[in-house]
């Protein structure tokens, strides 16, 4: 069924990983399988049944060609360096080469301990597995670069956390699992040769043309920084808070990685934090660009030996690339916000308009997601939705008047603008007050509400009658939402 796997990391990075095995689940049962993703990967599923999926995507049976390994990495966790982390609850089965030639890691998450488990059980509870599945697929549907979810399988075993949970395994698909922390591990424990080796492998895997640059490692730093700037702007444009932007959770590919305590913001507040362990708000919504800058500085440090080995002069160029990050991020952010607000690229200077918007949204506790959809409706002549979002109907009238002026000065028809806005502003996101009860129901044996919600967020831009409740923010008087690590 699963086409033969390739193992380029295994073959090219000899000795720099640990062979590992999956724990055999007692009674694997398929919860969900992503047929559309399977098709994109070229997996032939025509003759496979749920039982076969359950066996393969729980680790009970290894797919053909698999050389299962766990990868070591290091990482700055909340600013403190941990030299020895790694796949403690994940197993890389191998790589699949899709019909278009793209290469993807196939990884099991929650399939038991590995040499990097550091005393952990290597397992995952069903709730967090289904949470990652739904949120990552929602992100993909919104066009945000992300790892994907191919399957979730209940193991039939119990996972002990603060209470007992049913266990599950997630099959994660990523263009690679090379993290900033992977580079940090190589830089901290080995010499320049190993950093060069990892860098060359990464370039071969993701951007082979960069091998022709005068200094390929410097060119890769530039590329990775560009992708991170784009990614964080994308996150913030949909109100996403990653929650644990440690360097070990940053994929150099520019894909969103490690859905732990992440969540989406309802009512706008720049200092929003959901993670129970982020007590100082290091990873708050509005701090994400600064943290990305900091993480990229750590990446540059780890790469520096490789950059220096080609040309010592390029160390200065690397520093300049890191220093330029705030400006580069702002350019991505400005262009994303223009799209969200229906403003033309290169139109009248709209920076103050955008900056002032966030102060307004915060002051009036406006639901971030609904706001942009309501603005598009206003362009169509329906102002009711916007009024409903505000504490008083004209609370944002002066700002809205300014926005109209920008719209009119662009000279494009309001209806065409509204359609363009609908294509970038999601209507349905994984809202906290909907996902939590769905996960609880799933752990208690009823996966129906979760499936229903998944279908909703898989088409985030298309308004459908009957789904109104999925587009609404949670109750305003609810206790602050808290998320936890531990997929
Ligand atoms: P994360 O919270 O996903 O960023 O994980 C941080 C580190 O803890 C990674 O090295 C994980 O592999 C490890 N880890 C987290 N949970 C477990 C677990 N249940 N068993 C073993 N290792 C774990
Ligand atoms: Mg992690």
């Amino acid at each position: 069924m699963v086409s033969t796997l390739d193992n380029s990391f295994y073959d090219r990075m000899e000795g720099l990983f640990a062979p590992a095995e999956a724990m055999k689940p007692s009674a694997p049962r398929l919860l969900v399988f992503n047929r559309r993703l399977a098709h994109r990967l070229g997996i032939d599923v025509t003759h496979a049944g749920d039982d076969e999926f359950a066996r393969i995507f729980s680790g009970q049976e290894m797919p053909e060609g698999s050389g299962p390994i766990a990868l070591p990495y290091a990482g700055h966790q909340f600013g403190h360096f941990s030299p020895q982390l790694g796949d403690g609850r994940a197993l890389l089965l191998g790589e699949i080469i899709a019909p278009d030639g793209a290469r993807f890691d196939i990884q099991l998450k929650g399939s038991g301990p590995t040499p990097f488990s550091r005393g952990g059980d290597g397992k995952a509870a069903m709730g967090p597995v289904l949470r990652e599945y739904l949120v990552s697929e929602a992100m993909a549907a919104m066009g945000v670069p992300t790892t994907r979810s191919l399957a979730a399988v209940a193991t039939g075993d119990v996972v002990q956390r603060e209470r007992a949970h049913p266990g599950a395994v997630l099959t994660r698909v990523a263009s690679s699992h090379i993290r900033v922390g992977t580079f940090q591990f190589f830089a901290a424990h080995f010499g320049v040769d190993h950093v060069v080796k990892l860098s060359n492998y990464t370039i071969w895997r993701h951007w082979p043309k960069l091998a022709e640059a005068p200094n390929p490692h410097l060119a890769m730093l530039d590329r990775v920084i560009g992708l991170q700037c784009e990614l964080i702007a994308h996150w913030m444009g949909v109100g996403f808070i990653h929650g644990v932007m440690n360097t070990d959770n940053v994929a150099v590919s520019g894909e969103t990685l490690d859905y732990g305590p992440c969540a989406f913001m309802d009512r706008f507040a720049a200092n929003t934090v959901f993670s129970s362990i982020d007590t100082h708000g290091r990873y708050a919504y509005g701090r994400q660009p600064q943290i990305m800058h900091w993480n990229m500085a750590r990446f540059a440090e780890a790469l520096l030996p490789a950059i220096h080995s080609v040309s010592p002069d390029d160390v200065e160029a690397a520093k300049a690339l890191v220093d330029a990050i705030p400006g580069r991020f702002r350019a991505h952010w400005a262009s994303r916000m223009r799209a969200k607000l229906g403003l033309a690229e290169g139109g009248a200077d709209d920076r103050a308009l955008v900056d002032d918007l966030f102060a307004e949204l915060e002051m009036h506790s406006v639901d971030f997601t609904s706001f942009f959809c309501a603005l598009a409706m206003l362009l169509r002549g329906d102002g009711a939705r916007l009024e409903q979002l505000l504490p008083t109907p004209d609370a944002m009238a002066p700002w809205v008047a300014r926005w109209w002026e920008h719209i009119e000065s662009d000279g494009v028809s309001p209806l065409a603008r509204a359609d363009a806005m609908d294509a970038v502003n999601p209507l349905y996101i994984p809202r906290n007050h909907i996902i939590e009860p769905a996960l609880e129901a799933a752990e208690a044996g009823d996966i129906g509400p979760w499936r229903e919600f998944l279908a909703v967020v898989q088409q985030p831009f298309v308004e459908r009658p009957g789904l109104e409740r999925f587009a609404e923010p949670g109750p305003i008087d609810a206790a602050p939402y808290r998320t936890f690590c531990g997929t």
Side-chain angles (χ1 to χ4, degrees):
M1 184 247 331
V2 178
S3 26
T4 298
L5 295 179
D6 197 66
N7 300 285
S8 72
F9 200 92
Y10 193 110
D11 296 339
R12 291 168 180 248
M13 301 299 286
E14 203 191 332
L16 301 172
F17 52 79
E21 275 176 31
M23 194 173 55
K24 303 292 174 226
S26 61
R29 179 172 55 85
L30 187 70
L31 295 170
V32 56
F33 183 74
N34 193 336
R35 283 185 181 268
R36 209 184 298 173
L37 180 59
H39 180 74
R40 191 259 173 273
L41 297 174
I43 297 175
D44 177 14
V45 294
T46 37
H47 302 295
D50 284 8
D51 289 348
E52 189 181 354
F53 289 142
R55 287 196 302 276
I56 291 183
F57 298 112
S58 65
Q60 194 172 62
E61 197 177 296
M62 283 295 118
E64 202 185 319
S66 172
I69 55 174
L71 270 51
Y73 47 85
H76 276 90
Q77 300 182 300
F78 290 90
H80 302 286
F81 188 61
S82 303
Q84 176 71 64
L85 299 167
D87 292 334
R89 53 179 163 180
L91 189 65
L92 179 61
L93 296 183
E95 300 142 27
I96 204 160
I97 300 171
D100 65 355
R103 179 183 290 268
F104 294 94
D105 276 0
I106 305 290
Q107 192 201 56
L108 300 182
K109 203 170 166 184
S111 59
T114 74
F116 305 118
S117 294
R118 300 174 298 152
D121 62 6
K123 296 180 187 173
M126 187 188 290
V129 162
L130 290 177
R131 194 167 193 284
E132 168 153 358
Y133 191 112
L134 186 139
V135 178
S136 62
E137 288 308 299
M139 292 285 266
M142 288 189 274
V144 183
T146 177
T147 62
R148 302 289 304 270
S149 297
L150 180 63
V153 179
T155 57
D157 301 313
V158 167
V159 174
Q160 195 60 45
R161 294 290 178 257
E162 71 292 353
R163 62 180 171 85
H165 294 264
V169 174
L170 178 79
T171 301
R172 179 160 74 179
V173 176
S175 70
S176 86
H177 283 87
I178 303 166
R179 304 153 190 259
V180 168
T182 319
F183 278 87
Q184 290 181 295
F185 182 85
F186 279 50
H189 298 282
F190 306 108
V192 54
D193 292 355
H194 283 78
V195 180
V196 168
K197 190 172 175 179
L198 177 64
S199 183
N200 285 341
Y201 173 78
T202 307
I203 290 167
W204 167 79
R205 180 139 178 192
H206 290 290
W207 313 287
K209 285 214 170 65
L210 298 187
E212 294 153 26
N215 188 334
H217 315 295
L218 182 71
M220 181 175 72
L221 175 64
D222 181 35
R223 181 64 63 94
V224 172
I225 286 174
L227 291 170
Q228 283 294 314
C229 290
E230 205 175 328
L231 180 68
I232 305 314
H234 220 144
W235 285 358
M236 292 179 66
V238 294
F240 179 77
I241 303 167
H242 182 283
V244 60
M245 289 173 72
N246 294 336
T247 55
D248 52 302
N249 293 334
V250 178
V252 299
S253 66
E255 289 170 340
T256 310
L257 176 69
D258 276 2
Y259 291 87
C262 66
F264 289 79
M265 185 167 52
D266 279 352
R267 294 172 185 84
F268 184 81
N271 64 359
T272 303
V273 173
F274 294 116
S275 170
S276 58
I277 57 169
D278 191 3
T279 40
H280 297 290
R282 179 181 169 89
Y283 300 134
Y285 172 85
R287 283 183 55 94
Q288 297 184 114
Q290 279 159 272
I291 293 293
M292 176 271 291
H293 185 182
W294 193 88
N295 287 345
M296 287 297 99
R298 304 291 79 75
F299 181 51
E301 276 165 15
L303 254 187
L304 230 40
I307 293 172
H308 184 274
S309 74
V310 176
S311 162
D313 291 346
D314 284 343
V315 170
E316 282 307 314
K319 281 191 194 147
L321 282 175
V322 172
D323 289 343
I325 288 176
R328 232 168 137 172
F329 172 78
R330 268 198 305 278
H332 281 285
W333 180 232
S335 122
R336 187 149 295 280
M337 283 309 298
R338 269 187 223 114
K340 286 183 73 67
L341 291 168
L343 304 171
E345 283 287 339
D349 182 20
D350 38 34
R351 196 160 156 180
L353 182 77
V354 171
D355 289 347
D356 294 347
L357 170 63
F358 290 98
E360 293 274 334
L361 292 177
E362 184 142 6
M363 185 160 57
H364 303 301
S365 289
V366 183
D367 181 65
F368 184 70
T369 301
S370 312
F371 176 77
F372 298 94
C373 302
L375 271 190
M377 290 310 287
L378 189 60
L379 286 180
R380 298 192 174 94
D382 174 2
R385 283 209 197 177
L386 183 59
E387 289 185 5
Q388 279 161 17
L389 290 176
L390 301 173
T392 55
D394 58 356
M396 283 182 63
W399 185 89
V400 171
R402 280 167 66 201
W403 170 75
W404 265 117
E405 279 169 31
H406 281 262
I407 290 283
E408 279 166 357
S409 70
D410 286 344
V412 176
S413 92
L415 289 184
R417 288 236 174 284
D419 289 348
M421 287 169 75
D422 284 353
V424 295
N425 291 319
L427 190 62
Y428 308 111
I429 56 161
R431 294 204 185 251
N432 308 322
H433 69 287
I434 302 176
I435 197 166
E436 284 311 320
L439 297 178
E440 271 170 39
E443 285 206 346
D446 177 12
I447 201 170
W450 181 87
R451 278 190 192 284
E452 185 189 12
F453 195 29
L454 176 68
V456 172
V457 297
Q458 276 175 329
Q459 279 182 279
F461 301 110
V462 187
E463 184 160 24
R464 283 100 86 199
L467 299 185
E468 291 76 12
R469 74 181 178 91
F470 293 102
E472 282 164 17
I476 198 152
D477 51 357
Y481 182 64
R482 282 281 160 263
T483 56
F484 301 89
C485 293
T487 308

